[in-house]
Amino acid sequence: MRGKHIKTVMVGGIFLCATPIMAAEGKLLATAGLSQLEGSGGGGLVPWATLAGYDSRDETAASLFITDVNVTDYRLTSMGVATSLYDRVELSYTQQTFVLPASLVTGLSLDSEEIKQDVIGVKVRLYGDAVYSLYPQVSVGLQHKQLDNDFVASYLGAKDDSGTDFYVAATKVHLGAVAGYNLVWNLTARATKANEMGLLGYGGPDNSGYQVMMEGSIGLLLSPNWVVGMEYRQKPSNLSSVEEDDWKDVFVSYMPNKNVNFTAAYADLGTVATQKNQKGVYLSMTGYLW
């Protein structure tokens, strides 16, 4: 079923590439960023202060995305939709599907190899513009997450099967900053109780309260259509039973027009649920409906 979803979105991406009239005209190409794993506009691992669309102050925008992360022992698929309203408010919904290795399914006598999580996001731009203001664009947001089944999370010692992350993000584009190329950076502070983004529950014996984790992205716009960069996401460590490492990636994004973008990355997630050296390929596509 997941393969059918991916093929459908790929066909949609080809259609969007061929129909440039569908895009909003409010912002410069690439300033909408990408779709983050939890559905917020921004980078792949990190939510940015930018909103998930090209809308200006008198426009709205809507988008859909699919992301597939395939590392050594696990696979994570995120599919979601987002809307941006008048360059001020972003709303998003995402469903994440985390596929466990057969050894873990057998060892825990699980009924399914999948853990699913729903994520509802809200982001509000407070002030600034990532391109035109002297200071960064700043936004605040939240991501409320709910697991469909807490068996694995409870087995590992998590306290809850749902939780809400709160974050503040700052994003700035510096025009012609590096040998004439545009440079973009983002810094995000996230208050969270989540174990592995919430897929292993929230809180644990080592800590059950909120902790502030830092996240960052930096990218170089080689042309209006191509961006290369890297990201880093700090992670908490709440569970005595399993180690949790920070996440990082190196990415390249192609944005042929304001209707669609494609991203490929090499992701290093470290240790995930007892499995070490979780490295692999990150692929994502976002289509902008208007």
Side-chain angles (χ1 to χ4, degrees):
M1 182 62 70
R2 184 166 52 250
K4 292 181 179 179
H5 287 321
I6 294 173
K7 290 178 182 178
T8 300
V9 175
M10 289 178 65
V11 171
I14 295 172
F15 173 74
L16 289 167
C17 284
T19 55
I21 61 172
M22 294 179 64
E25 298 297 329
K27 299 178 183 177
L28 296 176
L29 181 63
T31 54
L34 311 174
S35 295
Q36 192 253 339
L37 275 174
E38 290 136 308
S40 302
L45 302 181
V46 181
W48 291 8
T50 53
L51 306 184
Y54 286 101
D55 51 301
S56 63
R57 294 183 180 182
D58 57 354
E59 296 176 326
T60 63
S63 61
L64 56 84
F65 83 98
I66 181 169
T67 297
D68 190 68
V69 185
N70 200 344
V71 294
T72 311
D73 295 295
Y74 298 98
R75 186 170 186 174
L76 173 66
T77 300
S78 291
M79 299 181 65
V81 295
T83 183
S84 180
L85 307 174
Y86 312 111
D87 195 26
R88 180 61 64 178
V89 177
E90 172 191 292
L91 305 174
S92 62
Y93 167 76
T94 299
Q95 184 174 84
Q96 299 176 322
T97 302
F98 187 49
V99 181
L100 304 171
S103 59
L104 193 57
V105 174
T106 302
L108 297 179
S109 300
L110 300 177
D111 295 331
S112 172
E113 66 175 2
E114 295 181 345
I115 297 174
K116 292 183 180 293
Q117 179 170 245
D118 293 325
V119 185
I120 297 173
V122 179
K123 184 194 298 181
V124 178
R125 181 176 65 85
L126 296 182
Y127 60 82
D129 182 276
V131 178
Y132 297 112
S133 60
L134 294 176
Y135 42 84
Q137 179 170 322
V138 176
S139 298
V140 294
L142 65 82
Q143 295 170 338
H144 178 72
K145 310 173 189 180
Q146 175 68 60
L147 289 170
D148 71 330
N149 188 309
D150 68 348
F151 179 82
V152 174
S154 296
Y155 177 84
L156 294 174
K159 299 296 185 183
D160 298 296
D161 64 357
S162 66
T164 303
D165 290 357
F166 302 92
Y167 65 88
V168 56
T171 306
K172 187 73 179 83
V173 177
H174 299 276
L175 301 177
V178 180
Y181 296 110
N182 300 338
L183 177 73
V184 58
W185 61 263
N186 176 85
L187 186 64
T188 298
R190 178 192 298 262
T192 183
K193 300 179 183 179
N195 308 315
E196 298 296 359
M197 205 166 45
L199 295 167
L200 301 184
Y202 299 82
D206 289 351
N207 186 78
S208 58
Y210 278 100
Q211 299 178 75
V212 176
M213 299 288 109
M214 300 306 298
E215 306 171 4
S217 308
I218 190 166
L220 190 65
L221 286 75
L222 301 179
S223 76
N225 305 101
W226 289 93
V227 184
V228 296
M230 61 182 64
E231 298 183 290
Y232 191 90
R233 177 166 174 169
Q234 190 179 23
K235 306 288 290 307
S237 184
N238 301 322
L239 300 173
S240 303
S241 56
V242 292
E243 181 182 353
E244 182 168 357
D245 289 334
D246 297 346
W247 288 356
K248 44 190 174 292
D249 71 24
V250 178
F251 68 88
V252 56
S253 296
Y254 174 55
M255 305 172 188
N257 53 49
K258 290 184 179 180
N259 294 332
V260 66
N261 65 57
F262 303 94
T263 298
Y266 174 75
D268 182 354
L269 309 185
T271 298
V272 178
T274 74
Q275 305 296 309
K276 298 181 180 297
N277 298 317
Q278 298 303 303
K279 301 176 181 179
V281 177
Y282 170 114
L283 299 173
S284 183
M285 191 203 79
T286 300
Y288 298 92
L289 304 179
W290 67 79

